[in-house]
Amino acid sequence: MAKGQTKFDGGADPRLVAAGYHQRTKHHYDRYANSPGHMDWGTQPEPFRRFIGAEMIQLRFPESDQTPSYDLLYEPSAIEPQPVNIDSLSAFYFYSMALSAWKQYGASSWALRVNPSSGNLHPTEGYLLLGALEGIAAAPGLYHYAPKEHGLEHRARFTDRSWSQLMSGWPANVFFVALSTIFWRESWKYGERAYRYCQHDTGHALAALRLAAALLGWRLVVINDLPDTQLEKLLGLDRDDAQREHEQESPQLLAAVVPYHDLVKHGAIDILDAADDGQWFGAANQLSPDHRAWQAIDVVQQACRRQSNWQLTTDFTAGIGQAISYEPCPYSAGSIIRQRRSALDMDGQTPVTQHRFYAMLSRVVPGLCPVPWDAVAWPICTHLGLFVHRVTDLTAGLYVLVRDPSQLDALRGALRSEFVWQKPPGCPEALPFYLLAAGDCQGLAARISCHQHLAGAGAFSLGMLANFDDALSRYGAPMYRYLFWETGVIGQVLYLEAEAAGLRSTGIGCFFDDAVHEILGITDTSFQSLYHFSVGGPVEDRRLTNLPAYRNSVNVTPAS
Ligand SMILES: Cc1cc2nc3c(=O)[nH]c(=O)nc-3n(C[C@H](O)[C@H](O)[C@H](O)COP(=O)(O)O)c2cc1C
């Protein structure tokens, strides 16, 4: 694909459509991507999908926090696998996609969730495909996860024959989880750029599911070789009772969850009969009374669908090297996961120690950390450009973390030639982390992040740099989605790592794309910054009241 392509044409090569959408939805200092420019409160989408008429199976709330220590999440063989039953499935969702709190300000209240979402708009929906299981159903079926109730809506019953076909080649006790996205939830506020945010949110939710699986001693792996039409069919999203006009719910990913430590090989998935033989229940609720169409999203989502001939394989194995250890985290995995929040601002003071900083970074290097990277069944393409503001004994400045060292030369070739590429003294050998240029970047980091103070006032902030042209030209237009998913997975790990370090973080979707590239000396689209992030000491908004997520749930003790 030609560098710097800006063509935006629904009839073109899908890779050009994706690249064109990307160009078109960049924010610039003097011009933001097309959006409504104001909040139309009359059409604000309902945050909770429900299938009216479908039976709701109430999941359970843990009676106490029985989850293992936070650090064990990253050691796949350290946690005894739990049997798959209603208690473990309840925990799986409680620690991945459930509500985490209600917030109240004056007469308004809104729910927060375990998985974060751009603007708290939550476009991501979760599904479960499960065999017959006591306490849930006597027959295999498809369920939609309802976070407000912490329940499973029974969306379809499948025949035993269909289920055997679905799970053939997989270990007994396998179940499947799926994610979909509703673009309208995000485009209502963010307009054309919303497609990107929906993809980030999918990545966050995927990581949340992988980490909740780890907490139960389970493995989770994404199944890539499933065309979107088939996943759509399996989830019933092509049915009239699932789709509301202008509120398209699009399939994102399917993953197998296996309650064993053993490495799972991908089995083929043959789904055609399952949906046709299924008995379906319920109809999707309407989210808004009226809508504004965003044609750019319709076009890019069409271009980036996985077609039947799309293949993506990776021979990458996560966690071969040694993660950098830090003093053990004294908190449970469950408390860290459920206390995760976005900082509304950073205090401009709190530092992080150098050693802790390196340990945090090592958890986003797939070669050093098995979880959640063993779920990511696609090639690693993203690196971090870091603005170090307050890391003890580390010179402030611009740094880079090369998450896949085999791409070091490509990245180096794309960045400013005058960068020094020095390994800081004290940086562990295993960590591919380099100083590019020393200096105070606080003002710069805030400026390029749409003037958001929190990007300059944390201990560090960063931009996630995708090997963009190469990924699209090698793996095709669907890879555009996977690049954003990868950044969401990185974000989710950093969110948790910040909590474990007594800090807080915030995902930053609003940044001036090419201003970031200019700092780094990127003059083409070889590498593109897709997502920003800030980690530091938070400033609380004391006007907000915290309320429990569920009236009947145990109050999981926060770590700080
Ligand atoms: C993809 C993404 C982009 C985000 N962008 C911003 C941003 O630019 N500025 C900001 O202050 N918060 C941003 N956030 C934080 C969200 O507003 C926050 O996740 C949401 O309000 C839910 O709150 P919680 O994270 O505390 O659950 C972003 C979050 C995500 C996942």
Side-chain angles (χ1 to χ4, degrees):
M1 188 177 61
K3 287 184 174 176
Q5 260 290 356
T6 58
K7 191 165 180 205
F8 182 69
D9 172 0
D13 176 337
R15 292 171 298 185
L16 295 185
V17 177
Y21 167 82
H22 193 70
Q23 288 294 341
R24 179 188 171 104
T25 53
K26 285 180 171 175
H27 287 327
H28 302 273
Y29 279 126
D30 59 349
R31 177 172 46 86
Y32 284 82
N34 285 340
S35 78
H38 70 287
M39 307 271 227
D40 178 4
W41 295 113
T43 61
Q44 184 182 16
E46 158 68 37
F48 300 110
R49 159 114 299 162
R50 289 295 310 272
F51 286 94
I52 313 297
E55 181 199 358
M56 171 80 78
I57 297 150
Q58 181 64 57
L59 291 176
R60 297 179 180 164
F61 296 97
E63 284 171 14
S64 60
D65 180 1
Q66 300 286 337
T67 62
S69 147
Y70 169 72
D71 287 321
L72 293 187
L73 285 182
Y74 300 95
E75 293 174 36
S77 54
I79 299 173
E80 185 60 29
Q82 301 296 302
V84 178
N85 55 35
I86 186 162
D87 288 318
S88 56
L89 281 173
S90 299
F92 179 58
Y93 279 107
F94 190 68
Y95 293 110
S96 58
M97 297 188 76
L99 302 191
S100 54
W102 283 88
K103 291 272 175 185
Q104 193 170 41
Y105 179 62
S108 310
S109 60
W110 60 96
L112 297 180
R113 303 193 197 181
V114 168
N115 53 316
S117 166
S118 183
N120 201 29
L121 296 166
H122 288 287
T124 312
E125 297 294 333
Y127 290 86
L128 170 70
L129 288 130
L130 185 68
L133 190 71
E134 197 183 329
I136 299 210
L142 170 72
Y143 305 85
H144 168 250
Y145 179 65
K148 189 173 174 198
E149 295 79 7
H150 186 47
L152 293 173
E153 288 183 295
H154 194 184
R155 181 74 176 111
R157 180 181 300 138
F158 295 144
T159 61
D160 288 333
R161 191 183 70 89
S162 300
W163 179 250
S164 320
Q165 183 185 348
L166 263 179
M167 62 168 289
S168 94
W170 296 89
N173 271 356
V174 68
F175 65 88
F176 302 95
V177 289
L179 297 174
S180 66
T181 191
I182 303 174
F183 302 119
W184 165 245
R185 284 234 179 85
E186 291 280 331
S187 64
W188 167 75
K189 179 173 178 187
Y190 296 111
E192 290 188 357
R193 199 168 159 104
Y195 179 80
R196 299 178 177 208
Y197 298 161
C198 290
Q199 309 306 330
H200 286 311
D201 281 17
T202 295
H204 277 285
L206 168 63
L209 289 167
R210 173 62 190 107
L211 290 159
L215 178 150
L216 293 153
W218 300 344
R219 294 287 311 263
L220 180 148
V221 69
V222 172
I223 300 164
N224 275 330
D225 49 6
L226 195 64
D228 277 300
T229 43
Q230 288 205 29
L231 183 53
E232 200 161 49
K233 188 168 174 144
L234 182 63
L235 302 181
L237 299 178
D238 60 345
R239 296 172 54 84
D240 288 348
D241 58 22
Q243 293 294 353
R244 296 286 186 159
E245 213 182 346
H246 308 300
E247 295 179 358
Q248 183 192 358
E249 187 176 332
S250 270
Q252 291 282 69
L253 60 85
L254 180 73
V257 183
V258 185
Y260 302 113
H261 296 318
D262 312 346
L263 257 174
V264 278
K265 277 268 169 259
H266 295 200
I269 285 272
D270 185 356
I271 58 104
L272 292 174
D273 291 349
D276 288 339
D277 290 356
Q279 191 184 352
W280 293 81
F281 312 105
N285 58 341
Q286 178 95 40
L287 304 178
S288 296
D290 202 0
H291 308 83
R292 174 165 172 185
W294 294 97
Q295 204 211 344
I297 293 186
D298 297 343
V299 172
V300 71
Q301 74 88 15
Q302 199 56 43
C304 294
R305 282 169 71 89
R306 285 174 303 241
Q307 305 297 339
S308 53
N309 57 357
W310 192 68
Q311 287 282 333
L312 184 62
T313 48
T314 177
D315 49 11
F316 170 77
T317 309
I320 298 274
Q322 271 283 292
I324 292 156
S325 59
Y326 188 71
E327 56 193 56
C329 174
Y331 307 115
S332 73
S335 63
I336 295 292
I337 286 173
R338 289 194 53 85
Q339 75 167 41
R340 183 213 61 78
R341 299 279 182 282
S342 293
L344 301 177
D345 199 357
M346 298 290 182
D347 63 10
Q349 291 176 5
T350 308
V352 61
T353 64
Q354 195 184 150
H355 193 170
R356 172 130 233 167
F357 172 67
Y358 292 141
M360 291 169 100
L361 291 187
S362 77
R363 287 204 161 138
V364 300
V365 177
L368 301 181
C369 191
V371 176
W373 304 107
D374 55 359
V376 172
W378 64 87
I380 295 299
C381 295
T382 308
H383 312 284
L384 307 186
L386 295 109
F387 300 101
V388 167
H389 309 311
R390 274 166 279 276
V391 177
T392 316
D393 298 329
L394 187 62
T395 309
L398 184 60
Y399 291 79
V400 71
L401 178 73
V402 187
R403 293 180 59 249
D404 172 2
S406 73
Q407 294 171 43
L408 190 141
D409 288 344
L411 187 58
R412 197 168 177 158
L415 302 192
R416 231 171 250 294
S417 56
E418 56 268 37
F419 284 152
V420 297
W421 288 88
Q422 267 170 15
K423 210 141 187 179
C427 175
E429 199 42 49
L431 197 68
F433 178 72
Y434 305 91
L435 171 70
L436 299 181
D440 180 346
C441 303
Q442 295 177 80
L444 186 64
R447 212 160 41 247
I448 55 163
S449 295
C450 298
H451 308 286
Q452 298 186 77
H453 179 256
L454 56 73
F460 63 97
S461 64
L462 56 96
M464 302 185 197
L465 296 171
N467 197 344
F468 192 83
D469 280 349
D470 186 61
L472 284 192
S473 63
R474 264 186 215 234
Y475 309 115
M479 193 63 189
Y480 186 60
R481 292 151 74 189
Y482 285 69
L483 293 178
F484 283 93
W485 297 356
E486 187 183 336
T487 65
V489 177
I490 297 170
Q492 191 67 13
V493 173
L494 290 176
Y495 261 120
L496 299 189
E497 281 293 290
E499 298 290 337
L503 303 169
R504 189 139 276 181
S505 52
T506 304
I508 301 178
C510 189
F511 55 89
F512 300 120
D513 303 65
D514 286 340
V516 181
H517 302 142
E518 200 187 322
I519 293 166
L520 294 162
I522 300 170
T523 52
D524 53 19
T525 51
S526 53
F527 283 82
Q528 295 281 281
S529 188
L530 300 186
Y531 189 23
H532 283 212
F533 218 81
S534 182
V535 179
V539 176
E540 304 290 341
D541 186 342
R542 301 209 178 276
R543 296 169 306 168
L544 305 185
T545 308
N546 281 317
L547 300 168
Y550 302 100
R551 245 179 298 162
N552 39 353
S553 71
V554 61
N555 189 12
V556 178
T557 320
S560 55

